[in-house]
Amino acid sequence: MKILYILPLAMMLSCCSSVKNQTGATDTGKLDTQLLKDVEVLSSDAYQGRKTGTKGAEMARAYIIERFQKLGLKSYPQHVNYAQEFTFNGRSGAKVNGTNIIGYIPGKSTNAVVVSAHYDHLGVVKDEVFNGADDNASGTAGLLKIAAYFAKNKPNNTIIFASFDAEEMGLQGAKAFVGNPPVNINTIAIDLNMDMISHSDKGELYVCGTFKYPDLKKFVDTAKTNIKVLFGHDDPKQGHDDWTNQSDQGAFNAKNIPFLYFGVEDHKDYHKATDEYSTITKLFFSNAASAVLDVVKNIDKQTGLQLLLKDKMRMMDNPRKSERF
């Protein structure tokens, strides 16, 4: 049993040493030290499991905001220091306050691509810290990796980096975002969401969303030699195994915004206190985050992406319209 304790922040950060590349790892990829450091910090006991409305969640926001600032991400005028605040009714009926962290890198067009990941987790349960290293410090770290790339390489499309709160309470942060987006919602071409991308003994990363939007398959490289990138978990006939609406991309799907979701299948540490930094699959994680970055880069190369995807969606909703294509 892991008993709750709080380390001073300075002490905790000093303990987060950089992870050195594994010997011989060059044949199958290499460890990303910043990526791993971000997960190690966010999933440490000091952050108390990052439950919405807690001191741990506040600390997580401070860390993400500092990283956004160092990367040079812009903040929308309506969001003071990247923060999009919102309220919702919790399961008990009480009002709960949440905060999304929203930054962006302007592109050469007004079309927007959203890269998203939730930073919240389950908090402290019966004196045990549920650190949520895979769920979803990993997706948050992946988002920061992608932001770092585009901070140095100007995108064609404006890329919005959305670190959502309260996913574990019913996708509340994502719902608040699509309900009050910082840009005209019709300019959002796609949501690329990461939730649990760091723990797979099989070396498998799933890409969900191409069942509804098959044209998106061409942006995904499934020929990776270091991990298996697989399509699936998005057929409505799969029931609970259909992930379409089981993470933040579900809020975008409800608005008919195309999406791709990246994640692993449930594992032995899912929603348990053992989902901590020591149990993630570090080399797989580094390779998975790079695979997601490749997809974002492929999508960003497209011009007219927003119109292309919207037309495809309308064509699927009304097959007779395909006659004009």
Side-chain angles (χ1 to χ4, degrees):
M1 166 138 345
K2 179 170 59 177
I3 305 299
L4 170 65
Y5 59 93
I6 310 290
L7 290 175
L9 181 59
M11 182 183 298
M12 181 275 301
L13 290 173
S14 69
C15 293
C16 296
S17 58
S18 296
V19 182
K20 295 182 180 179
N21 290 349
Q22 294 176 338
T23 303
T26 53
D27 293 335
T28 54
K30 61 182 181 179
L31 295 180
D32 184 324
T33 55
Q34 183 61 58
L35 183 80
L36 292 172
K37 179 181 178 182
D38 288 335
V39 172
E40 187 176 15
V41 172
L42 289 168
S43 64
S44 67
D45 283 351
Y47 285 71
Q48 307 172 52
R50 310 184 307 278
K51 184 175 181 178
T52 299
T54 66
K55 180 66 175 179
E58 182 181 337
M59 291 172 64
R61 288 196 295 276
Y63 181 86
I64 296 165
I65 288 171
E66 182 180 13
R67 294 280 282 114
F68 275 22
Q69 290 172 336
K70 287 183 178 179
L71 291 171
L73 270 63
K74 294 183 178 294
S75 178
Y76 284 102
Q78 62 268 49
H79 300 157
V80 178
N81 201 22
Y82 306 102
Q84 181 189 37
E85 298 179 349
F86 60 95
T87 60
F88 62 96
N89 292 323
R91 293 184 176 93
S92 67
K95 288 284 186 183
V96 180
N97 296 318
T99 307
N100 294 329
I101 306 301
I102 312 296
Y104 75 100
I105 298 175
K108 301 170 186 176
S109 75
T110 57
N111 289 339
V113 172
V114 175
V115 175
S116 63
H118 75 92
Y119 69 86
D120 66 296
H121 194 52
L122 302 177
V124 180
V125 182
K126 296 181 179 178
D127 292 331
E128 286 190 296
V129 183
F130 281 57
N131 286 315
D134 189 37
D135 185 12
N136 186 34
S138 68
T140 304
L143 180 149
L144 292 170
K145 175 186 176 75
I146 295 168
Y149 173 84
F150 284 104
K152 295 180 179 178
N153 301 273
K154 186 175 178 62
N156 289 308
N157 301 278
T158 293
I159 302 185
I160 300 172
F161 295 93
S163 188
F164 290 134
D165 196 1
E167 188 272 351
E168 300 286 4
M169 296 182 173
L171 320 184
Q172 298 298 335
K175 291 176 180 178
F177 178 89
V178 298
N180 187 23
V183 298
N184 186 320
I185 198 167
N186 292 321
T187 67
I188 297 177
I190 190 170
D191 172 51
L192 304 171
N193 186 49
M194 293 166 282
D195 191 351
M196 297 172 56
I197 62 170
S198 69
H199 189 151
S200 175
D201 296 330
K202 298 178 181 178
E204 295 176 344
L205 178 71
Y206 276 89
V207 184
C208 163
T210 62
F211 181 89
K212 185 172 182 179
Y213 300 102
D215 205 51
L216 294 177
K217 284 186 176 181
K218 64 186 178 185
F219 301 119
V220 182
D221 180 9
T222 57
K224 293 284 182 183
T225 57
N226 42 16
I227 62 170
K228 300 174 185 175
V229 180
L230 306 171
F231 297 112
H233 286 293
D234 51 6
D235 184 341
K237 294 179 181 177
Q238 291 179 287
H240 184 71
D241 284 331
D242 173 14
W243 298 346
T244 297
N245 297 308
Q246 293 188 26
S247 187
D248 289 317
Q249 74 280 352
F252 291 83
N253 184 50
K255 297 290 186 180
N256 287 320
I257 296 172
F259 68 91
L260 287 177
Y261 162 64
F262 305 88
V264 301
E265 291 185 322
D266 291 355
H267 46 74
K268 61 182 178 61
D269 301 308
Y270 171 67
H271 274 199
K272 294 182 180 178
T274 51
D275 181 12
E276 51 192 7
Y277 180 72
S278 63
T279 61
I280 67 173
T281 320
K282 296 179 178 63
L283 186 54
F284 165 80
F285 177 34
S286 293
N287 292 328
S290 294
V292 178
L293 172 58
D294 287 344
V295 175
V296 182
K297 287 159 57 175
N298 289 339
I299 286 176
D300 182 59
K301 290 176 184 176
Q302 306 303 305
T303 57
L305 176 66
Q306 194 265 354
L307 290 175
L308 169 68
L309 294 177
K310 293 292 185 182
D311 282 347
K312 290 285 184 182
M313 183 185 71
R314 284 193 291 267
M315 193 167 66
M316 290 176 66
D317 289 342
N318 186 354
R320 295 183 61 185
K321 288 186 178 181
S322 65
E323 296 170 2
R324 65 185 179 89
F325 287 87

